[in-house]
């Protein structure tokens, strides 16, 4: 079909209401804002009818949104208890690794780098990410630079959690060193 051509939709308002309901269902929006907009369109469409009909529509319209509101709030409460979205893409981990890498590479001295990395407040349990990034950055260099050793030393002097993490990382690297390429040794 041709996607680039405008076609007039005779049932625009009906389709728009359907898409609004779908959007609210997907996004979990409350019915408050949508019901106010729907009542204003109902008032505009009922203005063409007689005055007695519009009064009847308004009286009936006020009872229905309250019932719908109570129903939607009970549904939204039950959905909020059961709907838990888990992010398996680990985008926060990727962002943390990128930030660590850029901080390591952009710092002029090891003291500046250590200060910036310590200021990042890496969450507990993510210490190994910093250590692995230090190891990867060091392995990319042609020759050994004291820069990475001094950063590691500063972190070991800062807190016990870093000493433990470096010990675990050393053990892991030592057990897998036979898999590394000669250049990375």
């Amino acid at each position: 079909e041709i996607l680039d051509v405008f076609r007039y939709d005779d049932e625009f308002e009906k389709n728009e209401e359907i898409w609004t309901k779908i959007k609210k269902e997907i996004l979990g929006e409350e019915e408050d804002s949508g019901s106010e907009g729907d009542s204003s369109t109902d008032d505009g469409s009922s203005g063409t009818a007689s005055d007695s009909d519009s009064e009847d529509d308004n009286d009936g319209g006020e009872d229905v949104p309250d019932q719908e509101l109570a129903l939607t709030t009970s549904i939204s409460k039950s959905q909020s208890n059961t709907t838990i979205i888990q992010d398996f893409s680990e985008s926060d981990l990727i962002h943390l690794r990128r930030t660590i890498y850029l901080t390591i590479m952009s710092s002029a001295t090891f003291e500046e780098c250590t200060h910036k990395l310590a200021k990042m407040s890496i969450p507990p349990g993510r210490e190994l990410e910093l250590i692995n990034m230090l190891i990867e950055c060091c392995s990319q260099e042609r020759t050994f630079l004291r820069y990475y050793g001094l950063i590691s030393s500063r972190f070991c002097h800062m807190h016990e959690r870093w000493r433990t993490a470096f010990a675990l990382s050393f053990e892991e690297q030592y057990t897998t060193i036979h898999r590394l390429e000669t250049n990375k040794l």
Side-chain angles (χ1 to χ4, degrees):
E1 289 188 45
I2 300 173
L3 299 176
D4 221 11
V5 178
F6 175 77
R7 293 186 197 138
Y8 181 75
D9 188 8
D10 295 330
E11 300 175 350
F12 174 76
E13 292 178 10
K14 178 184 171 187
N15 292 335
E16 204 51 37
E17 288 177 16
I18 292 171
W19 283 111
T20 305
K21 288 178 184 177
I22 292 171
K23 180 182 98 172
K24 288 179 183 179
E25 181 180 312
I26 291 172
L27 297 177
E29 295 178 356
E30 294 183 11
E31 292 289 327
D32 292 342
S33 61
S35 64
E36 289 174 3
D38 291 340
S39 66
S40 65
T41 57
D42 289 341
D43 291 343
S45 63
S46 65
T48 58
S50 66
D51 292 338
S52 62
D53 290 341
S54 64
E55 288 175 10
D56 292 339
D57 289 343
N58 288 341
D59 291 340
E62 290 176 4
D63 294 336
V64 173
D66 291 339
Q67 293 170 353
E68 288 177 0
L69 179 62
L71 178 63
T72 56
T73 54
S74 66
I75 291 172
S76 64
K77 286 181 184 177
S78 66
Q79 286 178 350
S80 65
N81 292 339
T82 59
T83 305
I84 298 173
I85 300 173
Q86 295 180 350
D87 183 16
F88 292 116
S89 66
E90 297 183 348
S91 60
D92 57 337
L93 177 65
I94 294 168
H95 178 69
L96 177 66
R97 288 178 63 91
R98 181 183 302 125
T99 306
I100 291 170
Y101 176 79
L102 291 174
T103 303
I104 291 170
M105 291 304 183
S106 66
S107 299
T109 65
F110 75 93
E111 293 168 335
E112 176 189 357
C113 181
T114 305
H115 178 72
K116 286 180 179 179
L117 290 172
K119 203 172 170 185
M120 275 180 29
S121 66
I122 296 171
R126 297 289 190 184
E127 295 91 0
L128 289 177
E129 296 304 322
L130 171 77
I131 297 166
N132 289 335
M133 287 306 298
L134 277 170
I135 292 170
E136 287 179 29
C137 290
C138 184
S139 69
Q140 295 299 318
E141 301 290 338
R142 289 182 179 238
T143 59
F144 176 74
L145 296 177
R146 291 183 53 215
Y147 177 76
Y148 300 107
L150 293 171
I151 293 171
S152 302
S153 173
R154 285 290 169 108
F155 271 101
C156 285
H157 289 296
M158 283 174 46
H159 199 271
E160 178 64 30
R161 78 177 182 146
W162 294 108
R163 284 189 288 273
T164 306
F166 272 101
L168 289 172
S169 180
F170 176 77
E171 182 180 328
E172 178 185 338
Q173 291 295 321
Y174 189 76
T175 57
T176 60
I177 199 164
H178 64 279
R179 298 180 194 163
L180 295 177
E181 298 174 12
T182 307
N183 295 342
K184 288 193 174 187
L185 291 174

